[in-house]
Amino acid sequence: MAGHPLIDAHLAQLHRDLPTEAVEELADGLNETYEQYLTAGVCPTEAATAAIAEFGAPDRIVAAFTEHASGRRIARALLATGPLVAACWAWSLVIAQAWAWPIPPAAGLSLGAALLSAVGVLAIAATSRSYRRTGLGLVGAVGVVALDTATIVLVLIAAPILVWPMAIAIPASLLRAGLTARVLPRLLNR
Amino acid sequence: MKAEAQALKGHLDVLLLATLQDGPRHGYAVKEALRAGSGGRFDLPTGTIYPALHRLERADLITGSWSVVDGRRRRSYRLTTKGERRLAADRGSWNEFAAAVTAVLDRTSAPWPATP
């Protein structure tokens, strides 16, 4: 059954914000809704208008996709748990007087800059109204795994002594990196 | 009366899983099953069903596959074993919760002692 220009315009609007596969799936549902109205004897323009109303406005649909996006959800989870892990590390580094460690200043600055970048990227993914920007959550998640790994390696290499709060900070980082790395491949494939 | 989407939010996952318990369905059919099964109370905008289905798929609770119907590509979903287990568990929890609420609201035994 042929489509309708109103339906096509609605789908074109969705296509601006959503991936092609998602729009294909939405197109099937929207066209089926339209056809149900046609079958019930409604004229094509009224059928298209009713189908679009039943389907939902593009803004609302994009907002729903954005809310359920894997990048957004992982970004929110990492931002919610981040302060706990950061507090464990801050406690460890203060007790161990990390400022006196034999680490090149550039390494410390690079780690700090990478941490700020990861937090910034995750914050964009967690709050943006754009579906496409939620993809940054996956980039931020990769960054968090790399940061956790780099921090642990740096501490084990550079710390003259290990202090007991590290017995909390290191497992916390390992757990976060492990869980994130476990779900990332599945999310990147979808 | 149509239920507000917000009120459904906490129960949407189990409701969507329940619509797939009798076999595979595509997005529109899931929406229709939800609407018909609730006597018209749960009539969500069709377009908002799809992202929830995608999230359930990422959680391995359902699995989707493409086919071509009437010249259109169509994605249908079915429950996975994990989804069946989750549905059974959530249904049990809901039944217990609903029974407890009903027991309080429809109390027919002796009245509770009032505080002075």
Side-chain angles (χ1 to χ4, degrees):
Chain A
M1 201 174 288
H4 189 281
L6 287 175
I7 302 271
D8 294 341
H10 195 78
L11 292 172
Q13 211 171 336
L14 289 168
H15 207 194
R16 280 205 291 271
D17 296 306
L18 298 175
T20 302
E21 276 212 332
V23 177
E24 271 189 290
E25 193 177 0
L26 290 166
D28 175 51
L30 183 52
N31 278 304
E32 185 162 354
T33 312
Y34 170 60
E35 287 165 9
Q36 295 289 336
Y37 279 103
L38 288 182
T39 305
V42 179
C43 79
T45 299
E46 283 180 18
T49 305
I52 288 168
E54 188 177 324
F55 211 70
D59 286 355
R60 190 171 184 185
I61 296 170
V62 172
F65 268 92
T66 304
E67 195 57 31
H68 289 275
S70 52
R72 163 153 294 185
R73 298 176 80 84
I74 200 166
R76 286 185 171 174
L78 288 171
L79 287 173
T81 55
L84 285 173
V85 181
C88 290
W89 277 115
W91 185 25
S92 301
L93 297 177
V94 168
I95 299 276
Q97 299 184 340
W99 53 88
W101 292 358
I103 298 175
L109 286 174
S110 301
L111 209 59
L115 176 63
L116 286 177
S117 303
V119 170
V121 160
L122 289 172
I124 292 171
T127 56
S128 175
R129 294 173 70 180
S130 157
Y131 175 80
R132 297 193 191 278
R133 282 192 194 148
T134 62
L136 287 173
L138 303 179
V139 176
V142 172
V144 167
V145 173
L147 269 170
D148 274 329
T149 309
T151 306
I152 292 169
V153 169
L154 194 70
V155 164
L156 292 178
I157 290 173
I161 53 158
L162 296 180
V163 295
W164 70 266
M166 288 177 189
I168 300 172
I170 292 174
S173 263
L174 282 174
L175 182 67
R176 178 172 67 176
L179 289 175
T180 308
R182 193 175 156 200
V183 298
L184 265 176
R186 202 173 61 211
L187 300 180
L188 288 169
N189 286 334
R190 288 181 182 168
Chain B
M1 182 179 67
K2 289 181 181 179
E4 288 296 327
Q6 190 64 28
L8 259 180
K9 213 172 177 182
H11 309 293
L12 186 59
D13 287 4
V14 67
L15 291 171
L16 292 177
L17 293 176
T19 63
L20 297 172
Q21 65 185 334
D22 295 327
R25 282 195 161 100
H26 60 293
Y28 180 78
V30 166
K31 183 256 184 189
E32 280 301 292
L34 198 56
R35 190 184 60 77
S38 65
R41 287 179 67 90
F42 303 156
D43 197 7
L44 296 175
T46 314
T48 62
I49 296 281
Y50 295 91
L53 289 170
H54 290 187
R55 181 170 51 73
L56 292 177
E57 187 177 15
R58 283 194 300 270
D60 289 330
L61 296 172
I62 62 176
T63 182
S65 59
W66 288 100
S67 59
V68 176
V69 179
D70 294 336
R72 289 201 301 265
R73 292 216 325 139
R74 170 168 293 172
R75 191 162 179 80
S76 298
Y77 298 91
R78 64 177 173 78
L79 285 178
T80 61
T81 306
K82 186 179 171 186
E84 287 170 357
R85 281 202 301 267
R86 170 69 69 82
L87 176 60
D90 286 357
R91 180 180 278 135
S93 301
W94 172 258
N95 285 338
E96 284 177 18
F97 175 75
V101 171
T102 304
V104 172
L105 295 181
D106 295 349
R107 182 176 52 85
T108 54
S109 57
W112 296 308
T115 51

